[in-house]
Amino acid sequence: DAKTTQPNSMESNEEEPVHLPCNHSTISGTDYIHWYRQLPSQGPEYVIHGLTSNVNNRMASLAIAEDRKSSTLILHRATLRDAAVYYCILRVFQGGKLIFGQGTELSVKP
Amino acid sequence: DTGVSQNPRHKITKRGQNVTFRCDPISEHNRLYWYRQTLGQGPEFLTYFQNEAQLEKSRLLSDRFSAERPKGSFSTLEIQRTEQGDSAMYLCASRGLTGGPAHEQFFGPGTRLTVL
């Protein structure tokens, strides 16, 4: 399974943008890039996904490098409720199981 | 609440005992996944069902683990002869058929197992 590499932790100030990087140099052509986040004491929740083009939704934006070997999750204005572990995942086509890595623990300071 | 539910939320058991967890997916979601998460780690895939068929099992799923989804709705995960290493959060997720491989999975709150 293709692997992803993320920083272990990042800090942000409230109401500032946050850029969470992810490297996935072994990505294959059919792998979708998914981001999930896990708030304390909860199950993971879907944030956003993309294949080749940049994507926006109400929660975040996803910027995908042209060669698809890296991507960046962008939270436009971090809030205290965004403090969570963010996982960058390459979605396996067959069956759709998610292969989680260590994730990035984001802390948000008021 | 129409989300994924899991019961019990917490389970404490003694080593050697059997435990069973239940997951109720979102109605009409045909795919159901089980994951295990230990402290400080990301969730690890265990197994998944499409309707009542168990289509994939991870090598993490030893012979002491068995999962069922008898009518294609709720699922159970049983651990026999529990060991201290089984202590973890057990997460269930479901997904609908439409939307292809990009479709999101919806996770339940998990069952935290502590084996003494």
Side-chain angles (χ1 to χ4, degrees):
Chain A
D1 295 320
K3 291 181 63 175
T4 61
T5 305
Q6 300 177 252
N8 288 333
S9 61
M10 290 184 66
E11 275 190 357
S12 172
N13 294 318
E14 196 175 12
E15 298 191 2
E16 290 186 356
V18 182
H19 291 234
L20 298 166
C22 180
N23 288 320
H24 29 78
S25 58
T26 58
I27 190 170
S28 72
T30 56
D31 286 338
Y32 282 79
I33 302 160
H34 284 245
W35 284 80
Y36 280 71
R37 72 179 186 181
Q38 189 171 22
L39 280 66
S41 303
Q42 295 187 26
E45 66 174 345
Y46 168 84
V47 177
I48 200 167
H49 76 271
L51 184 60
T52 56
S53 303
N54 295 345
V55 184
N56 300 297
N57 67 19
R58 63 176 179 83
M59 289 181 71
S61 295
L62 176 60
I64 302 173
E66 200 168 328
D67 62 5
R68 299 206 331 123
K69 294 186 176 183
S70 66
S71 61
T72 302
L73 179 71
I74 302 165
L75 306 179
H76 295 287
R77 289 183 64 205
T79 69
L80 297 178
R81 291 184 300 174
D82 290 324
V85 178
Y86 287 79
Y87 296 99
C88 169
I89 300 163
L90 300 184
R91 178 68 166 268
V92 175
F93 184 86
Q94 292 295 331
K97 67 185 178 187
L98 299 173
I99 308 297
F100 289 82
Q102 296 276 75
T104 296
E105 183 170 11
L106 175 67
S107 57
V108 180
K109 297 184 291 184
Chain B
D1 187 10
T2 57
V4 177
S5 62
Q6 294 187 245
N7 288 288
R9 295 292 308 277
H10 303 273
K11 178 71 177 178
I12 300 174
T13 190
K14 293 182 179 179
R15 189 177 54 185
Q17 298 294 305
N18 299 343
V19 294
T20 299
F21 311 139
R22 176 178 170 127
C23 170
D24 287 90
I26 292 173
S27 178
E28 297 180 357
H29 273 190
N30 68 325
R31 289 199 175 179
L32 187 148
Y33 303 81
W34 285 99
Y35 296 84
R36 181 177 71 184
Q37 185 174 27
T38 53
L39 202 60
Q41 303 296 314
E44 298 172 293
F45 168 76
L46 292 178
T47 187
Y48 93 92
F49 293 83
Q50 180 164 306
N51 301 314
E52 64 274 10
Q54 188 174 19
L55 296 186
E56 186 176 352
K57 292 193 290 186
S58 161
R59 63 180 185 277
L60 294 174
L61 214 65
S62 75
D63 291 345
R64 297 184 297 105
F65 288 70
S66 63
E68 293 183 343
R69 194 181 183 199
K71 296 182 179 179
S73 57
F74 73 91
S75 175
T76 58
L77 178 67
E78 180 184 16
I79 309 174
Q80 296 182 327
R81 304 181 304 281
T82 52
E83 302 173 355
Q84 288 184 325
D86 297 331
S87 295
M89 177 75 82
Y90 290 84
L91 293 160
C92 174
S94 71
R95 197 198 108 182
L97 180 60
T98 58
H103 210 66
E104 66 182 280
Q105 292 185 17
F106 294 83
F107 282 81
T111 294
R112 179 165 296 283
L113 172 66
T114 302
V115 181
L116 302 176

